[in-house]
Amino acid sequence: MRDETYDLSWDDWDELQSPRPEGTEFDDVVETALSRRGFMGGVLAFGSGAAVMGAGSLMSTTSAEAATSRFAFTPIDIATDATVHVPEGYSWSRLISWGDPLFSDAPEFDHATGGDVASSDRVFGENTDGMELFNVGGRQVIAVNHEYVNTKINLPNNEDGKVASADDVLKLQNLHAVTVMEVTEGADGWSVVIDSDLNRRITANTPMTIAGPAAGHDLLKTEADPEGTTVLGTMNNCGAGKTPWGTYLTCEENFNGYFGSTDAAFELPEDYARYGVSAEGRYNYEGYDPRFDVSKNPNEPRRFGYIVEIDPSDPTSTPIKHTALGRFKHENAAAVVAADGRVVVYMGDDERGEFMYKYVSNGVYTPGGETSSLLDDGVLYVAKFDPDGSGKWIVLTPTTTGMSEAEIAIFSRVAGSKVGATTMDRPEWVAVNPVAVEGYCCLTNNKNRGLKTNAGGDETPAVGPNPREANKYGQIVRWKPAGDDHTADDFEWDLYVMAGNPNVHSDANAGSANINAGNLFNSPDGMMFDSTGLLWIQTDGDYKNEGDFAGMGNNQMLAGDPVTGVIERFMTGPYGSEVTGLTWSSDKRTMFVGIQHPAAPFPDGEGKLARSSIIAIKRDDNAMVG
Ligand code: FEO
Ligand code: CA
Ligand code: CA
Ligand code: CA
């Protein structure tokens, strides 16, 4: 949901374009699912310490644990105002906002125009999202995504924010994709190093290499790229990731919405439906840029929906789309080196009823060794959760799917359906615990759960890790691989938390027992572990603070202890914003947090355009914050 100044959220836009079929065969299994294994306990069976089951029992654990809380902050109340709040003893400052120059040849941001097209690829882009900080020879470099645009704000002089020229389209394309920027901390706090030779804007028009099993496939060839190996740009970059060898992974999510058809008679290829590519583009790129007109370039949409690797230490490097990691609405990429040295990347597909994936490299990672094939030569798996708390990663191969390697890479959703993957409640960020062998995934919400199939016609019963019909609050699932080995096929799973509102509901919608009046939130989305093993949870949900969402306030960031299950509120964002994106300075004394699409006039105040921004949060005593 957005205020009227905003475009629809992507999931609502998708649903309008292609409504899902009603479900037909669902039993009413909600109650059964919820009573199983004491999900109301909110702490999983394999967690150490407080493996507490049963409603209310965690509350006593909470007070017992209070004396040894691992949180260094005093939790804060909800907020409904126009600014950011952090705990006592902490302060925040702005690092950069949409439109701020990265180079001295770009003008200062102009609130009257939202910036001109000429400088739009020389400034910080719109809708900051996933980010990672890299140490490049002692210099600190942040790579950060620009997920999408808010046309009514980015084109403030256009009627209803509608594009009216090729220049408008180019400006929006430039405000997307990725910024790489050097940052430094001085006496006045953090700032971007203007004109740093490491600064770079990557846009929807930056040349990239296509690698992996789909590279060169007929389905990826276009008139401009008859080899099917070079593509222009990346779009709708949502969450992020970092490889063990120090490169940035940016994830293409709702790529479908940028394509449309100018020819009403053009028959859409069959494979478009599963990915939501429709005749009606969201921004009318197709009206001004033929590359996005599917009646002229029907293969172009199949060149998006991948994970892209960027080397932040080399501004002249060509980004690489790694098709082996699958094509879907990629949220983020959580990479970890398994015990035997193989690289494992966990990934979510953020759409109602889509799947969770895992990639395992065939080769092993050796520090300083050759890494160039590790994300191109490997195996893709999809998750199947059984209601008894066990689960399996099912391998996607020609044998298990009847599809070629290239087809599995290009139509990964179809491959997942063929092997009976579990339809999930919109998998958002995945995070891997650095101090225990386990992974977590935010399942943000799913109003279709139990009511409608996914776009592939797979049923979505309310059971297992997705236990609530028409799930409005979201939950976080976690899994522990068999034998403490991230490459293992088998895992155990449980729910770390089910968000809910115990002030309004007394059934499953009250949430798990680690939800209480002091930490209410909905729609967990961004999620990162810090180096100490605390879990930071960011929200993208209903911020109206009324009805089912009363007492939750603006979107926020909370900290969770994976061992005790305790969750406390650390930060609140300005009204209308989503809190998304988190990384730390090299010395861990600063955390950088993204504030996306504020509706309040943040951070410049009344009468000014609202601007997505990265803020820096520090302790006043300069102690470490992660
Ligand atoms: Fe871009 Fe699924 O959030
Ligand atoms: Ca997200
Ligand atoms: Ca979201
Ligand atoms: Ca978002």
Side-chain angles (χ1 to χ4, degrees), residues 11 253 331 350 426 428 444-445 523-525 540-541 578:
D11 52 301
E253 193 187 19
E331 181 71 20
D350 179 9
R426 297 185 57 201
E428 299 254 23
T444 196
N445 57 53
S523 304
D525 184 333
D540 171 23
E578 165 186 351

Side-chain angles (χ1 to χ4, degrees), residues 462-475:
V463 69
N466 310 282
R468 292 180 293 191
E469 193 173 279
N471 175 14
K472 63 180 78 164
Y473 294 118
Q475 65 269 11

Side-chain angles (χ1 to χ4, degrees), residues 160-180:
D160 208 23
K162 289 202 185 329
V163 305
S165 67
D167 272 358
D168 288 345
V169 169
L170 182 58
K171 177 178 166 180
L172 297 184
Q173 290 174 340
N174 285 342
L175 295 181
H176 278 82
V178 176
T179 288
V180 181

Side-chain angles (χ1 to χ4, degrees), residues 10 129 147-148 236-239 253-254 329-331 350-351 426-429 444 525 540 578 580 596:
W10 276 95
D129 208 319
E147 187 184 29
Y148 65 106
N236 211 276
N237 304 78
C238 185
E253 193 187 19
N254 294 295
K329 293 187 177 177
H330 277 286
E331 181 71 20
D350 179 9
E351 185 153 348
R426 297 185 57 201
E428 299 254 23
W429 290 44
T444 196
D525 184 333
D540 171 23
E578 165 186 351
T580 184
Q596 195 191 62

Side-chain angles (χ1 to χ4, degrees), residues 13 97 128 149 207 209 229 267 277 281 297 317 324 375 386 469 479 542 569 574 578 595 602:
W13 183 83
S97 302
T128 182
V149 288
T209 301
T229 53
E267 207 170 306
V277 179
N297 284 294
S317 59
L375 297 181
D386 288 318
E469 193 173 279
W479 62 95
D542 188 304
R569 184 180 301 112
E578 165 186 351
I595 304 295
F602 179 87

